Amino acid sequence: METDSVKVDSSLWVGTKRYRAVLSGWYFNWTELDKKNREKKTISVPISEVVAVAEGKAEVQPQKRAEDTDRDFTLFYVNRTRGGKRALWCLGRTEFCCPSRDLRDQWVTQLRTALKTHCPSRPRRLLVFVNPYGGKKRAKQVYRSLVAPLFELAGVSTHVVVTERANQARDHILKKDLTGFDGVICVGGDGMFSELLHGVIGRTQQEAGISEHDPTVMLQSCDLHIGIIPAGSTDCVCFATVGVNDPVTSALHIIIGDSQPLDVCSVHHHNTLVRYSVSLVGYGFYGDVLAESERLRWMGPLRYDLSGCLVYLCNRSYEGVVQYLPADPQLSSPRDNMRCLSGCRVCSESTEMLFPHSDSCSSLYSRQLSQYSIGSEGEWMSVEGRYRCVSLTCMSSSCPRSPKGLSPAAHLADGTGDLILVQDTDPLGFLTYLHRHTTSKDQFDLPFVEVHRVKAVRFTLPPGEEDDYHDEERERQSITEGAQGTPKMACNSDVESYGDGSQQYLAAEQEEPGMKDRRRKRRNFLCGLCCSKPPAVSVWNCDGELLPYTEIFCKVHGQLVRLFARGIEDEEGHEENKSCKGRCVLH
């Protein structure tokens, strides 16, 4: 094939050492030669991972520098280093010296032509949102010092918006003209990502004339890619899709145009869309922790640790009826120990099932969909009991403190979620379950824990609990409507951003004093170990936001959005995939 033929082959110098350099098809290789022309070590870089080619001697970090010499050129590419147990990406740089200027010009021309030929999907123009208030408030510095120079080197133009309020990024995506942009980037945490997620999905459905509020509708896959530069507190989504929370690694994924499809869960109350979720929809323990942490915001990130301890000591459990639509167990199982890694077989096979009419990857954005119909596929299962927590996740939800996450074998793009039911148990048993999230032990290998791979979930209260629920729901609805002006869709405030908490917490701050006191009495989650009457219902934690409803319906939409990522890389996998065109690493 023409793409595998040798384009350029010559001797080049790197420092004082002579190399034989070959540009052939998908790779650029250079092999060290000794004085007798015997070959020694070879370095091979996929063309897909070349960032830029500069004439002369050039540097980007620690400061930008360029020296235009007649016979030199500089190659910038993705290089892998070890950062603890994870592989970090950094900017590799090698200066080559040619025997003549004509040969130098030939190398530069051929390398740049190869980039255009083999990497047509790289982004050329990006819309960047920087949240200056999230995490440790270093987002502007991170972008300016680490990310912007890389974008400039790669020839990526950007329009930067420094956000000043919650939901500014979402509103910008929904209302402004995005013509010419190849993707939207968030520099911030999971809350900032959620804003972009809601904006991109909402705009796509508006343009397609699809109602997001209809839980039976099949949503249109989104064409506009989302990129994440981690600068928040936990950065769970970035960690679960890239494998590390490192701004340079994420920036390089964006530059080379990596594309990772991602499942999204829509959360509905009756016929109203409440929110979208990618990491956690949690009831019971996780909802109580978030609700209590809102009262301790003055503590900063430490509030989550304290809230977790207090909620655990309260030893709460809640009644509930959980109905779920099981996924096909023949394809995968949450207990099969098959981690979702870059090039995941399960996700690839799911693409063929979700989009059977696809002739190429680009057709993922077409409307020729055949995703499941809630009413026609499979048999709904129903369980009723008393639970410590009920969780639904569309990804592993791993983070640095929990490297394997809530469900280690969950997949990013298989059109399913993992439903985790933790039944009421003794405090020591529940502590064992929580502790196993931080170790390599199987958190599902406990008698009171069950996990199911599902396509949809419905949560309702038993008949005896409904009266208390409806009273609380009326209060939550009135509070939410008073703060937002409309019950159509719960706003997506950034929990890590702006220091303003969830919408429900914000609403409580705006209530009349009498209402606020009555609400505090009814929703005092941590009224002490000697509480005479624990609350009948908990609250839902949806990607760090409190939901205003208890009875909800969740539906998983397969590969609804795309990220600038490629999934978590497996070091052993790189050695096995040396024949992969443009996706393996030999350096």
Side-chain angles (χ1 to χ4, degrees), residues 355-424:
F355 308 95
H357 302 292
S358 298
D359 295 325
S360 64
C361 294
S362 62
S363 61
L364 290 179
Y365 309 125
S366 72
R367 286 288 300 174
Q368 296 178 325
L369 308 179
S370 72
Q371 298 193 46
Y372 68 90
S373 169
I374 293 286
S376 62
E377 180 178 307
E379 180 180 351
W380 282 81
M381 308 294 291
S382 179
V383 291
E384 179 178 348
R386 193 167 189 86
Y387 301 101
R388 285 298 188 98
C389 58
V390 177
S391 305
L392 176 66
T393 179
C394 292
M395 58 173 60
S396 67
S397 294
S398 58
C399 66
R401 301 183 71 174
S402 178
K404 291 193 175 181
L406 288 175
S407 185
H411 290 273
L412 296 174
D414 66 342
T416 70
D418 284 356
L419 172 66
I420 306 166
L421 304 175
V422 181
Q423 301 170 7
D424 192 15

Side-chain angles (χ1 to χ4, degrees), residues 84 87 187 203 265 337 356 398 500 538 569 573 585:
V187 186
R203 185 184 182 103
C265 174
N337 294 322
S398 58
D500 59 3
S538 178
E569 289 189 325
V585 176

Side-chain angles (χ1 to χ4, degrees), residues 408-531:
H411 290 273
L412 296 174
D414 66 342
T416 70
D418 284 356
L419 172 66
I420 306 166
L421 304 175
V422 181
Q423 301 170 7
D424 192 15
T425 185
D426 61 272
L428 182 59
F430 188 57
L431 181 62
T432 300
Y433 167 75
L434 294 176
H435 181 258
R436 287 191 178 184
H437 287 81
T438 64
T439 67
S440 59
K441 291 186 178 180
D442 183 3
Q443 62 259 46
F444 302 141
D445 189 21
L446 294 167
F448 53 87
V449 179
E450 55 183 290
V451 59
H452 307 277
R453 187 144 289 170
V454 301
K455 296 181 177 180
V457 174
R458 181 181 293 111
F459 182 87
T460 56
L461 294 172
E465 307 289 338
E466 288 182 355
D467 293 338
D468 289 338
Y469 157 69
H470 289 303
D471 288 341
E472 292 200 9
E473 185 186 63
R474 290 189 195 99
E475 285 191 13
R476 293 179 193 170
Q477 267 190 289
S478 63
I479 291 165
T480 304
E481 292 174 16
Q484 301 171 0
T486 175
K488 284 294 182 183
M489 181 173 173
C491 291
N492 174 33
S493 65
D494 190 339
V495 173
E496 295 175 319
S497 310
Y498 316 104
D500 59 3
S502 68
Q503 284 294 322
Q504 289 67 48
Y505 188 71
L506 271 176
E509 295 297 318
Q510 300 171 1
E511 297 171 16
E512 297 178 359
M515 174 62 77
K516 187 173 179 180
D517 291 339
R518 291 193 298 272
R519 178 173 170 79
R520 184 182 290 114
K521 290 179 181 178
R522 290 191 60 83
R523 303 215 24 220
N524 185 11
F525 281 91
L526 298 177
C527 45
L529 297 176
C530 58
C531 176

Side-chain angles (χ1 to χ4, degrees), residues 127-132 159-164 168-169 172 192:
L127 177 59
V128 181
F129 295 96
V130 180
N131 173 16
H159 176 69
V160 180
V161 177
V162 179
T163 57
E164 300 176 350
Q168 180 179 347
H172 188 111
M192 190 67 173

Side-chain angles (χ1 to χ4, degrees), residues 80-94:
R80 287 165 175 78
T81 61
R82 299 299 298 176
K85 296 182 179 180
R86 302 278 181 168
L88 297 175
W89 282 18
C90 64
L91 184 66
R93 172 182 169 275
T94 302

